[in-house]
């Protein structure tokens, strides 16, 4: 049905976002593993640092901290909105379950009455 097609399209989009996020994580980890390897094998020697390279690293770290702070603030907003949506969905699911249970009871009662009527025939 059209609704199922739309739901599948949304699930595909979610999976794509997860895949993209996983790629960023893999890339980040690969970069850090390479740096750690350089530290361990002596290729990257912290003793070779200069005031200029330190200043560059400090500036880079300050920029990264600002970006991470901005991203964290945006994530906090999204999480807050998602929690609200999850609570609303949870309440909707609970009400739907109650409605299904009520319908099930009516169906069972109808089946009982239909059976009783068939016994009279």
């Amino acid at each position: 049905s059209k609704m199922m097609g739309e739901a599948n399209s949304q699930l595909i989009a979610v999976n794509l976002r997860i895949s993209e996020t996983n790629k960023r994580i893999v890339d980040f980890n690969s970069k850090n593993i390479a740096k750690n390897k350089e530290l361990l094998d002596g290729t990257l020697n912290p003793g070779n640092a200069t005031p200029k390279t330190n200043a560059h690293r400090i500036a880079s770290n300050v920029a990264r901290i600002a970006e991470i702070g901005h991203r964290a603030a945006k994530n906090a907003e999204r999480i807050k909105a998602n929690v609200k949506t999850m609570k609303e969905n949870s309440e909707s699911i609970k009400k739907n379950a109650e409605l299904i249970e009520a319908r099930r009871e009516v169906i069972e009662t109808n089946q009982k009455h239909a059976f009783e009527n068939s016994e009279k025939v």
Side-chain angles (χ1 to χ4, degrees), residues 49-80:
T50 66
K52 184 178 178 180
T53 59
N54 285 342
H56 176 71
R57 182 161 316 276
I58 290 168
S60 172
N61 287 344
V62 167
R64 287 177 54 209
I65 289 168
E67 181 202 340
I68 291 168
H70 177 70
R71 195 177 320 152
K74 283 176 60 178
N75 286 341
E77 291 172 15
R78 276 195 293 245
I79 289 169
K80 189 175 181 180

Coordinates of all heavy atoms in Angstrom, one line a residue, residues 49-80:
A49 N 57.7 19.5 19.2 CA 56.8 20.6 19.1 C 57.5 21.9 19.3 O 58.5 22.0 20.1 CB 55.7 20.4 20.2
T50 N 57.0 22.9 18.6 CA 57.5 24.3 18.7 C 56.4 25.2 19.2 O 55.2 24.9 19.2 CB 58.0 24.8 17.4 OG1 56.9 24.9 16.5 CG2 59.1 23.8 16.8
P51 N 56.8 26.4 19.7 CA 55.7 27.4 20.0 C 54.7 27.6 18.9 O 53.5 27.7 19.1 CB 56.5 28.6 20.4 CG 57.8 28.1 20.9 CD 58.1 26.9 20.0
K52 N 55.2 27.6 17.7 CA 54.4 27.8 16.5 C 53.4 26.7 16.3 O 52.2 26.9 16.1 CB 55.2 28.0 15.3 CG 54.4 28.4 14.0 CD 55.3 28.6 12.8 CE 54.5 28.9 11.6 NZ 55.3 29.1 10.4
T53 N 53.9 25.4 16.4 CA 53.0 24.3 16.2 C 52.1 24.2 17.4 O 50.9 23.8 17.2 CB 53.8 23.0 16.1 OG1 54.6 22.7 17.2 CG2 54.7 23.0 14.8
N54 N 52.5 24.5 18.6 CA 51.6 24.5 19.8 C 50.5 25.5 19.6 O 49.4 25.3 19.9 CB 52.4 24.7 21.0 CG 53.2 23.5 21.5 OD1 52.9 22.4 21.0 ND2 54.2 23.7 22.3
A55 N 50.9 26.7 19.1 CA 49.9 27.8 18.9 C 48.8 27.3 17.9 O 47.6 27.6 18.1 CB 50.5 29.1 18.5
H56 N 49.3 26.7 16.8 CA 48.4 26.2 15.8 C 47.5 25.1 16.4 O 46.3 25.1 16.2 CB 49.2 25.6 14.7 CG 48.3 25.0 13.6 ND1 47.5 25.7 12.8 CD2 48.1 23.7 13.3 CE1 46.9 24.9 12.0 NE2 47.2 23.7 12.3
R57 N 48.0 24.2 17.2 CA 47.2 23.2 17.8 C 46.2 23.8 18.8 O 45.0 23.3 18.9 CB 48.1 22.1 18.5 CG 47.3 21.0 19.1 CD 48.0 19.8 19.4 NE 49.0 19.3 18.5 CZ 48.6 18.5 17.4 NH1 47.4 18.2 17.2 NH2 49.6 18.1 16.6
I58 N 46.6 24.7 19.6 CA 45.7 25.4 20.5 C 44.6 26.1 19.8 O 43.4 25.9 20.2 CB 46.5 26.4 21.4 CG1 47.4 25.7 22.4 CG2 45.5 27.3 22.2 CD1 48.4 26.5 23.1
A59 N 44.9 26.8 18.7 CA 43.8 27.4 17.9 C 42.9 26.4 17.3 O 41.6 26.6 17.3 CB 44.5 28.3 16.8
S60 N 43.4 25.3 16.8 CA 42.6 24.2 16.3 C 41.7 23.6 17.4 O 40.5 23.4 17.1 CB 43.5 23.2 15.7 OG 42.7 22.0 15.3
N61 N 42.3 23.4 18.5 CA 41.5 22.9 19.6 C 40.4 23.8 20.1 O 39.2 23.4 20.4 CB 42.4 22.5 20.8 CG 43.2 21.2 20.5 OD1 42.9 20.5 19.6 ND2 44.2 21.0 21.4
V62 N 40.7 25.1 20.1 CA 39.6 26.1 20.5 C 38.5 26.1 19.5 O 37.3 26.1 19.9 CB 40.3 27.5 20.6 CG1 39.2 28.6 20.7 CG2 41.2 27.6 21.8
A63 N 38.8 26.0 18.2 CA 37.8 25.9 17.2 C 37.0 24.6 17.3 O 35.7 24.7 17.2 CB 38.4 26.0 15.8
R64 N 37.6 23.5 17.6 CA 36.9 22.3 17.7 C 36.0 22.3 18.9 O 34.9 21.7 18.9 CB 37.9 21.1 17.8 CG 38.6 20.8 16.5 CD 39.6 19.7 16.5 NE 39.1 18.5 17.1 CZ 39.9 17.6 17.8 NH1 41.2 17.9 18.0 NH2 39.3 16.5 18.3
I65 N 36.5 22.9 20.0 CA 35.7 23.0 21.3 C 34.4 23.8 21.0 O 33.3 23.4 21.4 CB 36.5 23.6 22.4 CG1 37.6 22.6 22.9 CG2 35.6 24.0 23.6 CD1 38.6 23.2 23.8
A66 N 34.6 24.9 20.2 CA 33.4 25.7 19.9 C 32.4 24.9 19.1 O 31.2 24.9 19.3 CB 33.8 27.0 19.2
E67 N 32.9 24.2 18.1 CA 32.1 23.4 17.2 C 31.4 22.3 18.0 O 30.2 22.0 17.9 CB 32.9 22.7 16.1 CG 32.0 21.9 15.1 CD 32.7 20.9 14.3 OE1 34.0 21.0 14.2 OE2 32.1 19.9 13.9
I68 N 32.1 21.6 18.9 CA 31.5 20.5 19.7 C 30.4 21.1 20.6 O 29.4 20.5 20.8 CB 32.6 19.8 20.5 CG1 33.5 19.0 19.5 CG2 32.0 18.9 21.5 CD1 34.8 18.4 20.1
G69 N 30.7 22.3 21.2 CA 29.7 22.9 22.1 C 28.5 23.3 21.3 O 27.4 23.0 21.8
H70 N 28.6 23.8 20.1 CA 27.5 24.1 19.3 C 26.7 22.9 18.9 O 25.5 22.9 19.0 CB 27.9 24.9 18.0 CG 26.9 25.2 17.0 ND1 25.9 26.2 17.3 CD2 26.5 24.7 15.8 CE1 25.1 26.2 16.3 NE2 25.4 25.3 15.4
R71 N 27.4 21.8 18.5 CA 26.7 20.6 18.2 C 26.0 20.0 19.4 O 24.9 19.5 19.3 CB 27.8 19.6 17.6 CG 27.1 18.4 16.9 CD 28.1 17.4 16.3 NE 29.2 18.1 15.7 CZ 30.4 17.5 15.6 NH1 30.6 16.3 16.0 NH2 31.4 18.2 15.0
A72 N 26.7 20.1 20.6 CA 26.0 19.5 21.8 C 24.8 20.3 22.1 O 23.8 19.7 22.5 CB 27.0 19.6 22.9
A73 N 24.8 21.6 21.9 CA 23.6 22.4 22.2 C 22.4 22.0 21.3 O 21.3 21.9 21.7 CB 23.9 23.9 22.1
K74 N 22.8 21.8 20.0 CA 21.8 21.4 19.0 C 21.2 20.0 19.4 O 20.0 19.8 19.3 CB 22.3 21.4 17.6 CG 22.5 22.8 17.0 CD 23.1 22.8 15.6 CE 22.4 22.0 14.6 NZ 23.0 22.0 13.3
N75 N 22.1 19.1 19.7 CA 21.7 17.8 20.1 C 20.8 17.8 21.3 O 19.8 17.1 21.4 CB 22.9 16.9 20.4 CG 23.6 16.5 19.1 OD1 23.0 16.6 18.0 ND2 24.8 16.0 19.2
A76 N 21.1 18.7 22.3 CA 20.3 18.8 23.5 C 18.8 19.2 23.1 O 17.9 18.7 23.6 CB 20.9 19.7 24.5
E77 N 18.8 20.2 22.2 CA 17.4 20.6 21.7 C 16.7 19.5 21.0 O 15.5 19.3 21.3 CB 17.6 21.8 20.8 CG 18.1 23.1 21.4 CD 18.4 24.1 20.4 OE1 18.0 24.0 19.2 OE2 19.1 25.1 20.7
R78 N 17.4 18.8 20.2 CA 16.8 17.6 19.5 C 16.3 16.5 20.4 O 15.2 16.0 20.3 CB 17.7 17.1 18.4 CG 17.7 17.8 17.1 CD 18.3 17.0 16.0 NE 19.7 16.8 16.3 CZ 20.7 17.3 15.5 NH1 20.4 18.0 14.4 NH2 22.0 17.1 15.8
I79 N 17.2 16.3 21.4 CA 16.8 15.2 22.4 C 15.6 15.6 23.2 O 14.7 14.8 23.4 CB 18.0 15.0 23.3 CG1 19.1 14.3 22.6 CG2 17.6 14.2 24.6 CD1 20.4 14.2 23.3
K80 N 15.5 16.9 23.5 CA 14.3 17.4 24.3 C 13.1 17.2 23.4 O 12.0 16.8 23.9 CB 14.6 18.9 24.7 CG 13.5 19.4 25.6 CD 13.9 20.8 26.0 CE 12.9 21.4 27.0 NZ 13.2 22.8 27.4

